Amino acid sequence: SQQGEEDPQALSIQEGENATMNCSYKTSINNLQWYRQNSGRGLVHLILIRSNEREKHSGRLRVTLDTSKKSSSLLITASRAADTASYFCATAYSGAGSYQLTFGKGTKLSVIP
Amino acid sequence: EAQVTQNPRYLITVTGKKLTVTCSQNMNHEYMSWYRQDPGLGLRQIYYSMNVEVTDKGDVPEGYKVSRKEKRNFPLILESPSPNQTSLYFCASSPYQFSPLHFGNGTRLTVT
């Protein structure tokens, strides 16, 4: 398994500040996806970045991918209390006749009003 | 409304009593998958299916079975549940492999 690893495990910031979460993985990937989960609910897809892309934006989200370092980062700008959630990276990998989308353990973000 | 529906939402059972968690999607997605989520371990893939009649093991398939007889349904079967299968289970689907997943709301299973 080439499960991604998020860093930090937990992050607490003030409303209005930026939040940065990192993800590292072990082998080559097809794409990397970021998801958000509100307490015990189903995950919601945020953004997908392909292996040949370096940066992607969606609203207040910015994702970077460095395949040479096998790492990605998710930046949430001007955070809001409603951004409080857990954030997961997932790596999509296909090889040897199998396909896997494996998730990391997540970063728990708390945004303090 | 496009959605992935899991049932039941909560389930408490006893060791050894066979159970099925149902999963259905109305988006005509080819790819479906089951995950379990445990504190400190994140989400781990149990089984996935690329299309009808095509299923494959994920990272933690032991103790689970699945079937994909129809495109929309992907039930998870626990033939003989054990307490270490107490977990939060998620079903998810996507149009094809590599595309973003749509998740159900989860099934919280307790095995005593």
Side-chain angles (χ1 to χ4, degrees), chain A residues 8-55:
Chain A
Q9 289 186 326
L11 180 61
S12 184
I13 59 173
Q14 295 290 133
E15 202 166 29
E17 293 180 340
N18 295 342
T20 299
M21 289 158 266
N22 302 298
C23 171
S24 60
Y25 57 92
K26 295 176 183 171
T27 62
S28 61
I29 60 173
N30 178 279
N31 66 56
L32 188 145
Q33 303 172 25
W34 284 92
Y35 290 80
R36 164 195 170 123
Q37 182 183 35
N38 289 91
S39 187
R41 306 292 291 180
L43 281 72
V44 175
H45 174 254
L46 296 174
I47 198 163
L48 179 152
I49 186 163
R50 294 181 174 79
S51 59
N52 61 354
E53 296 176 314
R54 293 296 167 258
E55 188 171 312

Side-chain angles (χ1 to χ4, degrees), chain B residues 11-100:
Chain B
L11 181 57
I12 300 173
T13 190
V14 295
T15 298
K17 186 176 181 181
K18 181 179 178 180
L19 67 91
T20 299
V21 183
T22 64
C23 175
S24 180
Q25 51 93 5
N26 62 0
M27 295 168 280
N28 201 36
H29 286 170
E30 290 192 353
Y31 181 84
M32 297 186 76
S33 183
W34 277 102
Y35 291 86
R36 61 177 288 175
Q37 184 175 28
D38 302 288
L41 296 177
L43 279 86
R44 293 178 293 168
Q45 190 176 47
I46 303 170
Y47 269 95
Y48 65 95
S49 171
M50 300 280 218
N51 213 326
V52 176
E53 302 292 2
V54 180
T55 63
D56 211 341
K57 296 177 181 178
D59 291 322
V60 289
E62 295 77 23
Y64 304 95
K65 283 175 60 177
V66 293
S67 68
R68 187 94 182 270
K69 295 176 183 174
E70 307 164 280
K71 200 170 191 177
R72 63 184 292 126
N73 296 324
F74 191 44
L76 180 69
I77 302 156
L78 284 72
E79 294 272 1
S80 183
S82 62
N84 65 12
Q85 291 178 300
T86 292
S87 187
L88 178 58
Y89 290 86
F90 288 103
C91 180
S93 72
S94 65
Y96 53 88
Q97 63 175 326
F98 302 130
S99 57

Side-chain angles (χ1 to χ4, degrees), chain A residues 50-113:
Chain A
R50 294 181 174 79
S51 59
N52 61 354
E53 296 176 314
R54 293 296 167 258
E55 188 171 312
K56 240 180 155 174
H57 297 255
S58 176
R60 292 183 297 112
L61 306 181
R62 173 180 168 246
V63 167
T64 61
L65 179 65
D66 187 334
T67 53
S68 66
K69 294 181 179 178
K70 293 185 172 56
S71 68
S72 173
S73 68
L74 170 66
L75 168 68
I76 304 174
T77 60
S79 63
R80 304 166 183 169
D83 294 328
T84 294
S86 291
Y87 292 82
F88 295 86
C89 69
T91 51
Y93 164 78
S94 177
S98 72
Y99 165 74
Q100 286 193 323
L101 182 67
T102 56
F103 286 79
K105 296 176 183 178
T107 293
K108 191 168 186 177
L109 173 66
S110 299
V111 181
I112 303 163

